[in-house]
Structure formats: C-alpha cells, structure tokens
C-alpha cells in the first residue's frame, strides 16, 4: 500500500533542485550514468495516477522485445536479451527508478506486438517496431528513436537479386504482421511470399534454397550477415522508411510524452549514442539523431 506524500515530495523536489543547481557546476558530470542510483526516481516524482507513477511504485516493468535479432534484440541461451532495443528499454526503466534486474523481458514477435500491448502482457514494446497509421489505431508510439529501411538479404553467391524489382517469380521470406511483408504483398504481387513468425525462421529456408531472399529492415539483416558473413549478404539500398517507435497503450498520451522527453534527453546527453555504440557501433555507421514525432491523436 502506498501513502501519497505529494506536497512533501514536491517541496523536497524544489529543495533538491536548488541543491543540484548549487553544486551542479562543479564538474558538469551529472549525466554520468543510466543506472538507477541513490537519486533514482520514485512514484512521488510523477503525476498522481500516471503510468509512470504506477510503474515506479511497482518497481518493475515488462518490456516486449525481439529475442532472435542480433544487434537489436537477441536472447542468449541463458540470461537476458541484449541489443540496442534492449538498451533503450533499460534506459526508460532507469528513468522510472527501475533497476535492470527488475525488468521482465517478454519475447514479442512482429504479429503479437499490438495484442500484447492491448491486453497488458507488456507495458512497452521496444522491438524494431515501425510507427505507422494502421498501428496507431491500436497502440500509441513514442519516438522515433531510430530510422531503418526495408532491404533484401540473399546467399553470398546469389547474383540475380539486387533490388525489389527483381522479386517477380522469386521466393521471398518475411514475417507475419510486419511492414516489409505488407509492402511485398501490396507492391510486389508477383513475388512468392512465405511468412514465418520470426525472421530467424527464414534463415534455414534461405540456406537450403526453399526461399531465394529474406526481406525486412536493413539493420535486422545486417545482424544476420554479421553472424554468418560467409553465408549471407545484403543487396541494394533500403527501399522504405521504417521509423522505430516505442509501443505503449493506445491514448496513454501522458506516458507517450514522458517517453518522448526521455528520448530527447538521451539524444542530447550522449546515452542514446552510447547505447548505439555498445551494441551496433562496430557494425553499422553512426545514425543521425532522429526527430521525435509528438503527433496529435
Ligand atoms: N520494422 C518492421 C515492422 O515493425 C519490420 C521489423 C519487425 O517486424 O520487427 O514490422
């Protein structure tokens, strides 16, 4: 049970802010780390009744991410997943005063992201999740925190596919409920599309010739090429825009704007780039800082 001490906490907040302002100029290093420390946020730091207050009060958060996508979300046989999406999730948790060990990671594949948000199985989704209008009917998105684009991956010795215009009559593998699959269905109807639950499921069919090409976002494919450079290659240029957002409950605008504030803060203070460099920086070029879209709904 929680007893609200809003006025006292607010007063303390003012005093603490004054103290910080007084000593903050010492070495300018107050943006040091993303770990929840002694000055971690607590429920009283957030508006009463907000999702932020509820999560901070619970001291835990459930985050949906991918488990089979190297670089962004990959779960080792034992232990928690790692990747850029995972790091972004950890930063959001830390801003709620929630320690890494108190994050529950749930695998979200492409097709179950909206249902998992809608039925409360997860609090947020950070999972190479493209922001688009259809999805915005069902869930809301903070972000973007990265801009990807759809691309193609083939076996290293394949010479006949280098752009989506080469897909007619070709066997194309992608994932149910994904934007790349929808794009092929709509705009490249002569491709023979096979859909699986997760992108990792396309790798063996590509190896054994059941499919000719795998399509999804360039950064996901880059992760597989990094894992299996002797087998796979990415061909051509990205041919769509896939702005990655953080999915959350539809119309929780207060929570959405708060996550947007966190994103803008970490774009600014270096934590976003640090997360990129830790996970992806050796493989992919440094991205441009995205512009958060505080859309009206
Ligand atoms: N970004 C695309 C999407 O959200 C493809 C990647 C994925 O399926 O996670 O559908």
């Amino acid at each position: 049970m929680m007893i609200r001490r809003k006025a006292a906490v607010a007063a303390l907040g003012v005093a603490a802010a004054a103290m910080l302002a007084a000593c903050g100029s010492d070495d300018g290093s107050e943006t040091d780390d993303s770990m929840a420390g002694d000055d971690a946020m607590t429920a009283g730091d957030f508006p009463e009744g907000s999702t932020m207050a509820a999560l901070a009060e619970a001291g835990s958060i459930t985050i949906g991410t991918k488990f089979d996508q190297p670089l962004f979300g990959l779960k080792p046989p034992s232990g928690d997943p790692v990747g850029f999406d995972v790091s972004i999730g950890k930063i959001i948790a830390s801003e709620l005063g929630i320690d890494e060990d108190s994050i529950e990671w749930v695998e979200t594949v492409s097709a179950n992201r909206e249902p998992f948000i809608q039925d409360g199985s997860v609090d947020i989704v950070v999972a190479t999740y493209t922001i688009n209008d259809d999805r915005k009917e069902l869930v809301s998105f903070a972000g973007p925190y990265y801009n990807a684009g759809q691309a193609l991956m083939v076996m290293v010795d394949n010479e006949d596919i280098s752009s989506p215009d080469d897909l007619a009559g070709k066997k194309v593998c992608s994932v149910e409920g994904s934007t790349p699959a929808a794009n092929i269905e709509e705009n490249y109807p002569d491709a023979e599309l096979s859909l699986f639950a997760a992108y990792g499921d396309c790798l063996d069919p590509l190896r054994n010739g059941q499919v000719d090409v795998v399509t999804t976002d360039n950064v996901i494919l880059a992760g597989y090429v990094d894992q299996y450079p002797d087998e796979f290659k990415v061909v051509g240029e990205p041919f769509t825009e896939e702005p990655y957002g953080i999915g959350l409950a539809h119309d929780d605008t207060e929570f959405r704007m708060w996550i947007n504030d966190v994103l803008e803060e970490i774009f600014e203070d270096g934590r976003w780039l640090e997360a990129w460099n830790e996970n992806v920086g050796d493989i992919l070029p440094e991205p441009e800082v995205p512009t958060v879209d505080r859309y009206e709904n």
Side-chain angles (χ1 to χ4, degrees):
M1 196 210 308
M2 188 184 137
I3 301 159
R4 296 234 169 243
R5 292 161 299 141
K6 213 176 155 199
V9 170
L12 199 69
V14 171
M19 271 173 61
L20 272 175
C23 52
S25 55
D26 274 6
D27 59 8
S29 65
E30 66 267 32
T31 57
D32 200 19
D33 211 322
S34 55
M35 300 297 294
D38 288 345
D39 56 351
M41 305 302 279
T42 61
D45 294 313
F46 299 107
E48 202 169 336
S50 65
T51 301
M52 297 83 82
L55 291 169
E57 173 66 11
S60 65
I61 185 169
T62 305
I63 305 181
T65 196
K66 296 298 184 86
F67 278 11
D68 73 331
Q69 294 179 191
L71 308 184
F72 275 64
L74 183 67
K75 193 179 176 313
S78 68
D80 287 336
V82 290
F84 184 58
D85 281 340
V86 172
S87 293
I88 296 292
K90 286 179 183 173
I91 291 171
I92 292 166
S94 80
E95 290 292 318
L96 293 163
I98 298 169
D99 189 74
E100 278 185 33
D101 300 336
S102 302
I103 301 173
E104 192 194 337
W105 297 102
V106 169
E107 181 177 23
T108 45
V109 295
S110 301
N112 67 18
R113 291 174 293 197
E114 292 90 66
F116 274 24
I117 293 169
Q118 287 175 308
D119 71 11
S121 301
V122 296
D123 296 305
I124 56 172
V125 165
V126 195
T128 60
Y129 197 7
T130 296
I131 303 169
N132 68 27
D133 289 345
D134 287 348
R135 291 171 177 171
K136 277 190 208 164
E137 303 276 313
L138 304 172
V139 300
S140 290
F141 289 99
Y145 61 93
Y146 183 74
N147 289 304
Q150 185 175 355
L152 303 171
M153 182 175 83
V154 296
M155 296 302 290
V156 279
D157 58 2
N158 181 308
E159 298 298 336
D160 34 83
I161 298 173
S162 60
S163 94
D165 299 327
D166 301 326
L167 296 181
K170 294 286 193 273
K171 297 189 183 74
V172 180
C173 194
S174 197
V175 159
E176 286 155 23
S178 72
T179 51
N183 182 32
I184 299 296
E185 272 166 0
E186 275 164 43
N187 298 314
Y188 303 93
D190 297 332
E192 292 172 31
L193 191 59
S194 304
L195 297 180
F196 289 92
Y199 297 105
D201 300 334
C202 286
L203 302 186
D204 277 339
L206 183 63
R207 287 184 176 108
N208 64 34
Q210 276 173 279
V211 301
D212 303 303
V213 51
V214 178
T215 188
T216 184
D217 299 338
N218 55 343
V219 291
I220 300 172
L221 298 176
Y224 295 130
V225 170
D226 182 54
Q227 254 189 345
Y228 306 107
D230 299 335
E231 296 184 280
F232 307 137
K233 66 180 178 185
V234 173
V235 287
E237 294 301 317
F239 51 95
T240 65
E241 287 178 9
E242 309 289 335
Y244 287 176
I246 292 155
L248 58 121
H250 195 229
D251 289 345
D252 191 346
T253 307
E254 190 176 40
F255 190 32
R256 174 161 68 93
M257 293 306 173
W258 178 81
I259 297 179
N260 281 332
D261 291 343
V262 170
L263 291 176
E264 285 179 345
E265 189 179 313
I266 69 170
F267 294 161
E268 192 74 27
D269 70 14
R271 278 184 284 168
W272 173 79
L273 190 57
E274 191 185 328
W276 177 265
N277 285 333
E278 272 171 20
N279 294 292
V280 190
D282 293 342
I283 318 295
L284 294 170
E286 186 176 314
E288 275 180 34
V289 177
T291 306
V292 160
D293 177 11
R294 293 175 185 263
Y295 63 87
E296 305 275 332
N297 56 341

